[in-house]
Amino acid sequence: MISGIIGRKVGMTQIFAEDGTVTAVTVIKAGPCVVVQTKSANGADGYNAVQLGLVEDKPVRLKNVSKPLQGHFEKTGAGIPPTRILKEIRLTGEPDASVGDQVKADMFADGDKIEVVGKSKGKGFAGTIKRHNFKRGPESHGSMNVRAPGSIGQSAYPSRVIKGTRSSGHMGDERVTVKGLTVAKVDAENNLIMVRGAVPGANGSVVIVKKS
């Protein structure tokens, strides 16, 4: 059974319950997606998965699609137009969908536990305090170690900085999975999922929503 869908993060808003309580939610436009390829553990691929393509409002022009990608969609034999976004969803069992099938937001229901995979916002170059939550040094008179990382190596042995030492560098812009989220509301007509809490990435970024 397909357990995930591709979507785009729309932004955050609030929903009000009948008793007046307010819940902060992230709105995700989930799908519609089309099954482009199926993979089976009994086949050449050796594992169960489906490849989904995100069907967007603005279709892709054929002149903007590479020839390998055109061939990939033509190979399906289902007449599926090329899509910009292709993602693979792993399955626990054999695929129960066929090439060309539609996957929509109505696969989720209110109260479902989900996890969302996205790319975090890029923060550029950041120091150790912002990037790794290091403590700062004293700010008293004469202190020259306010936001410096402190000792990062040894002098006598091994006289080098150990690989993997937390340091300043590029922050964000990496794959992030947030687990334990809850679907607050599903608008199947408009393919919208409202998730209780925050979701990684900037507004408009591509995310994968999976059932936990």
Side-chain angles (χ1 to χ4, degrees), residues 4 11-12 14 18 30 35 39 41 77 83 92 133 141 190 192 195 200 204 210:
M12 292 198 72
Q14 297 171 328
E18 292 181 358
V35 178
K39 298 183 178 182
T83 60
T92 53
N133 297 317
H141 179 69
N190 297 307
L192 297 176
V195 180
K210 300 178 183 177

Side-chain angles (χ1 to χ4, degrees), residues 73-74 76-82 99:
F73 278 88
E74 288 171 3
T76 62
I80 303 170
V99 173

Side-chain angles (χ1 to χ4, degrees), residues 39-195:
K39 298 183 178 182
S40 172
N42 299 323
D45 299 293
Y47 63 96
N48 298 315
V50 291
Q51 188 184 64
L52 299 179
L54 179 62
V55 179
E56 301 185 80
D57 298 332
K58 186 178 179 181
V60 183
R61 299 169 73 178
L62 278 175
K63 70 173 187 178
N64 295 331
V65 179
S66 65
K67 285 190 176 180
L69 198 58
Q70 285 183 34
H72 179 62
F73 278 88
E74 288 171 3
K75 190 178 177 182
T76 62
I80 303 170
T83 60
R84 288 186 182 86
I85 310 297
L86 280 174
K87 299 288 183 183
E88 190 172 280
I89 308 290
R90 287 287 191 113
L91 305 177
T92 53
E94 288 287 324
D96 60 345
S98 303
V99 173
D101 286 357
Q102 290 267 332
V103 182
K104 297 183 178 180
D106 57 8
M107 64 180 292
F108 297 97
D110 297 1
D112 280 356
K113 289 292 182 182
I114 59 169
E115 57 186 59
V116 179
V117 183
K119 206 168 190 180
S120 62
K121 289 182 181 179
K123 307 287 184 181
F125 186 91
T128 52
I129 291 178
K130 181 176 179 179
R131 193 180 184 207
H132 298 296
N133 297 317
F134 278 22
K135 288 185 171 64
R136 61 166 176 78
E139 290 185 299
S140 55
H141 179 69
S143 172
M144 301 180 70
N145 184 30
V146 180
R147 294 181 72 89
S151 175
I152 59 171
Q154 304 80 21
S155 59
Y157 177 82
S159 299
R160 61 186 175 86
V161 178
I162 303 297
K163 283 184 179 179
T165 300
R166 292 180 299 169
S167 184
S168 54
H170 189 266
M171 181 178 176
D173 194 29
E174 58 188 3
R175 182 184 170 98
V176 176
T177 302
V178 178
K179 298 184 177 182
L181 297 173
T182 306
V183 176
K185 190 177 180 182
V186 176
D187 183 354
E189 187 178 344
N190 297 307
N191 285 306
L192 297 176
I193 300 174
M194 298 176 195
V195 180

